[in-house]
Amino acid sequence: SKGDFILVEASNFELLASIFNSQSNWEETLRNYLRAKSAYTKLGDKPGEARLLSTIAEKYFNAGVYKKSAEYSEQEFLLYGEQNVKNMAYATEMAARSYYYLPDDSLSSKWYSAASFYYEKAADSTGFIRCSEKLGTLYSGSGMYDQALEKYEKVLSVYIFRKDYSNIAVTYNNL
């Protein structure tokens, strides 16, 4: 880092993180991913920083630390702006998945709603369906049956268009 080789520094920290990850050393993996993220921040490399935030969020999610996973996913989302709708959709879905395992369903609903919006904007029907179904489940579980009905009907229309009969049956069951 003294020689102003920040990009090399970032790459080295990522490599170290990968090595520690293969050894199942959680603390060193995380420490090195965070160091690499800091290097990308110094460089002003938002895509590199966002990519690492996504990786860190996934690591926390897999470790069952859902609050931290959601926080890093939110930071990732903010870095994208409107530049990459597909990545924005993924980041919002990851935040939603993380909040889903926490006691606050309203935050999960908020982020799943945003994710379905961005997936629809990105013309990713698979992501849209996945998030809309989860919203339907959340709304139904919260007694918000009108909102659940609306989500399931949207999902049903996509499945009918695709002639996906097994998922049509599942959606009718949810309805």
Side-chain angles (χ1 to χ4, degrees), residues 31-173:
R31 182 176 293 118
N32 283 287
Y33 276 134
L34 290 170
R35 287 176 177 161
K37 181 212 161 289
S38 293
Y40 283 119
T41 303
K42 284 180 198 174
L43 283 169
D45 182 350
K46 288 186 178 186
E49 187 178 356
R51 182 176 45 77
L52 282 172
L53 287 169
S54 177
T55 301
I56 293 166
E58 286 179 25
K59 295 292 178 195
Y60 272 120
F61 184 85
N62 292 335
V65 186
Y66 303 117
K67 181 70 174 159
K68 282 286 195 189
S69 175
E71 289 172 11
Y72 281 102
S73 294
E74 289 175 19
Q75 289 176 35
E76 175 192 1
F77 168 76
L78 293 173
L79 278 176
Y80 286 120
E82 291 292 325
Q83 297 169 358
N84 192 326
V85 177
K86 181 93 171 170
N87 286 346
M88 290 172 68
Y90 179 80
T92 54
E93 183 179 8
M94 186 65 184
R97 284 178 48 214
S98 299
Y99 281 122
Y100 182 79
Y101 291 100
L102 296 172
D104 192 353
D105 283 347
S106 65
L107 282 173
S108 184
S109 296
K110 171 190 158 191
W111 285 98
Y112 270 122
S113 184
S116 67
F117 169 79
Y118 288 116
Y119 277 125
E120 189 171 30
K121 193 172 179 179
D124 181 340
S125 61
T126 303
F128 172 77
I129 288 170
R130 192 174 50 246
C131 293
S132 294
E133 285 178 329
K134 197 56 113 171
L135 272 169
T137 302
L138 284 166
Y139 289 149
S140 181
S142 299
M144 302 167 68
Y145 301 116
D146 291 338
Q147 290 91 332
L149 179 66
E150 179 185 325
K151 291 299 172 190
Y152 286 134
E153 285 176 344
K154 276 188 168 185
V155 168
L156 181 62
S157 67
V158 174
Y159 285 142
I160 289 172
F161 177 77
R162 289 182 174 181
K163 297 180 181 176
D164 184 345
Y165 298 111
S166 62
N167 281 315
I168 288 171
V170 170
T171 305
Y172 273 129
N173 188 46

